Amino acid sequence: MPKKEEVAVLDFGSERITVVIGTRDVNNTFRVMGSGEAEYAGFMDGEFLEIQELKLAMGMAISNAEGNSKTEIKELFIGVPTEFLFCVCKNVGQNYPKARTIKQRDIDELFFRASDFSKYNTHSVINQSAVYYVLDDGQAVTNPIGQVTSKLNACLSYILVEKGFIDLINGFVRDLGLSRVTYISSDLAQMQYLFDEDERERYVIMVDVGYITTSVCLIKGSGMLSMSSFSMGGGHITADLSECLKISFSEAEALKRKIVLSIEPKLKDVYEVMVDGNVVPINAKNANDIVRARIDIIGAGISKSLSVCKYEYPDYIPISLTGGGLNYLKGAKDYLGKVMGKAVEPVNISDPNIDKPHLSSVLGLLDAALRQKEQIKSGFGSRIIKAIKGIFG
């Protein structure tokens, strides 16, 4: 039996860096060969907070994954957070002298015709995908290959990364001794992993609330129509509890895990939390109100992100919530839905062995990296690989 492809991916969470080495397993699940984590200061407003700590954390996470798997990482797929990215959609078309059967080279030609990004001199394209294609009869399709048409129009989605991000991380990766790196949008990889083709055809609003960052993406087909982010997440809820209740950050984190927003507490109801070795009662109503106030602000940020999107989508589309910032807080999903005036649904991970919302980003990266390896092995997907490969390697 031929050896299955193995890949190593690195995910910049807003609280920790995670490296996973894995391969495909049965029923399209994953087999994790090894993993490593390292906490770091994270990023805010499109900048890493502590640069030197970042390099150390990357090295530690990579080293731990290598030690756990007894494998040396030579090639690394790196997920880029949305705070360092932006999305551009372009409409492009081609008329043919007569009807023809569409082949891969026709699609490649459309992407090539739309590939001029010279005015974005501070950014580079790392991902490209199609939102939809339109045939000569006006029919919109996800994949036109094999269709007969006299013209082919498309809405193409490109994701661009700050060159400063690439330069910084490339320098660290060289110092860490890796020979090749490939950059992928974390949210693009996540959406392609979490939602099947039928779901994406009906539009998806994916909101990833992390520890100190939230990303908001409007998805259709295989591409992003819009993506934005703001620096706020579950860690801000912990900070609010700490500041307002005069308890330590770790005590506030323990309290947050006990809070239930779906039940309206009575005046005398309390949560118990350990403070300096003693059990201390915390008024439940006060604690719930503090949490709700921060979710109000997060909800306003999500609404603002959606309001600036220039593409229309059906009002009934729910918000698909992923990430660990709110998904582990009991009742937060329903309260966010009230704030937004929309249904909020947690995203289910298809792998039952790793069904944890905070892992959806790294699992998406693992899926994307393995798909690229599989495409290379089959001789397909050269256009995709060219678009997302790293600057060196």
Side-chain angles (χ1 to χ4, degrees):
M1 180 180 294
K3 183 180 178 182
K4 293 184 178 180
E5 293 286 350
E6 294 179 9
V7 295
V9 301
L10 183 149
D11 180 54
F12 286 110
S14 54
E15 184 181 13
R16 60 178 56 88
I17 294 172
T18 302
V19 174
V20 171
I21 302 170
T23 186
R24 294 273 186 211
D25 209 343
V26 295
N27 298 323
N28 211 33
T29 58
F30 300 116
R31 185 161 70 94
V32 175
M33 322 293 291
S35 63
E37 290 186 341
E39 293 186 355
Y40 75 131
F43 49 86
M44 187 173 292
D45 300 324
E47 292 185 1
F48 286 108
L49 297 178
E50 296 183 17
I51 300 299
Q52 287 307 118
E53 182 193 62
L54 170 65
K55 181 179 179 180
L56 293 173
M58 286 179 62
M60 183 179 297
I62 291 170
S63 177
N64 288 341
E66 289 178 325
N68 290 336
S69 64
K70 297 181 173 56
T71 301
E72 181 183 3
I73 296 175
K74 296 181 179 180
E75 179 180 7
L76 189 62
F77 292 80
I78 296 179
V80 183
T82 295
E83 289 210 15
F84 301 92
L85 303 171
F86 74 91
C87 174
V88 175
C89 289
K90 292 187 176 185
N91 293 312
V92 63
Q94 177 68 55
N95 294 321
Y96 305 112
K98 60 180 181 179
R100 63 194 292 175
T101 301
I102 299 300
K103 295 181 169 53
Q104 181 62 45
R105 64 174 178 267
D106 299 306
I107 295 176
D108 292 345
E109 175 64 23
L110 289 182
F111 276 95
F112 178 77
R113 293 185 61 190
S115 62
D116 181 9
F117 291 92
S118 55
K119 68 177 181 179
Y120 301 106
N121 56 14
T122 60
H123 288 71
S124 298
V125 174
I126 58 166
N127 293 112
Q128 56 186 27
S129 52
V131 177
Y132 56 79
Y133 299 92
V134 180
L135 308 178
D136 56 8
D137 61 359
Q139 179 187 3
V141 297
T142 302
N143 183 3
I145 293 178
Q147 299 279 355
V148 178
T149 183
S150 61
K151 66 180 179 180
L152 183 63
N153 295 322
C155 176
L156 306 180
S157 174
Y158 294 84
I159 297 177
L160 289 80
V161 63
E162 296 175 9
K163 290 181 179 178
F165 176 95
I166 298 294
D167 292 342
L168 176 68
I169 303 304
N170 269 357
F172 289 167
V173 169
R174 286 192 189 95
D175 292 344
L176 293 170
L178 278 75
S179 59
R180 181 178 173 84
V181 61
T182 300
Y183 294 97
I184 309 172
S185 160
S186 292
D187 276 340
L188 182 69
Q190 190 173 184
M191 75 89 166
Q192 291 177 339
Y193 170 66
L194 292 174
F195 306 100
D196 63 30
E197 187 175 298
D198 289 340
E199 290 175 302
R200 288 187 266 118
E201 274 306 298
R202 297 191 295 269
Y203 291 92
V204 172
I205 299 172
M206 185 180 76
V207 175
D208 184 341
V209 182
Y211 195 66
I212 57 174
T213 188
T214 294
S215 62
V216 182
C217 300
L218 178 62
I219 299 157
K220 184 171 175 57
S222 297
M224 297 282 191
L225 283 170
S226 73
M227 58 192 308
S228 59
S229 64
F230 55 94
S231 296
M232 192 178 300
H236 291 77
I237 295 174
T238 308
D240 291 344
L241 290 168
S242 175
E243 182 177 353
C244 295
L245 299 174
K246 309 303 180 186
I247 57 178
S248 72
F249 197 85
S250 60
E251 292 161 354
E253 187 67 34
L255 170 62
K256 184 174 74 173
R257 295 171 188 170
K258 296 183 176 184
I259 286 175
V260 181
L261 297 180
S262 54
I263 300 175
E264 193 61 41
K266 298 177 182 178
L267 290 176
K268 294 184 179 180
D269 288 344
V270 297
Y271 298 112
E272 292 183 342
V273 63
M274 294 293 294
V275 177
D276 296 329
N278 300 309
V279 177
V280 174
I282 301 291
N283 184 274
K285 185 179 185 306
N286 289 345
N288 282 20
D289 287 346
I290 292 166
V291 173
R292 287 192 180 109
R294 177 57 67 175
I295 296 178
D296 288 342
I297 301 172
I298 293 174
I302 297 170
S303 294
K304 182 178 180 181
S305 296
L306 291 172
S307 69
V308 298
C309 173
K310 65 180 182 179
Y311 295 95
E312 295 183 358
Y313 55 90
D315 289 338
Y316 59 80
I317 298 298
I319 289 173
S320 297
L321 181 65
T322 186
L326 290 182
N327 267 309
Y328 297 114
L329 183 55
K330 301 177 185 69
K333 168 187 70 70
D334 294 330
Y335 184 72
L336 179 63
K338 291 179 182 179
V339 172
M340 301 292 302
K342 292 178 71 69
V344 175
E345 302 174 351
V347 179
N348 295 318
I349 296 174
S350 58
D351 190 334
N353 298 317
I354 330 176
D355 187 10
K356 296 181 179 179
H358 71 282
L359 294 177
S360 60
S361 179
V362 71
L363 293 176
L365 291 172
L366 197 58
D367 177 68
L370 287 167
R371 279 191 286 108
Q372 290 176 39
K373 283 285 191 179
E374 290 156 5
Q375 288 169 347
I376 292 173
K377 193 172 183 179
S378 66
F380 178 72
S382 60
R383 171 178 54 79
I384 299 173
I385 300 303
K386 181 179 180 181
I388 62 177
K389 70 180 181 179
I391 288 177
F392 72 98

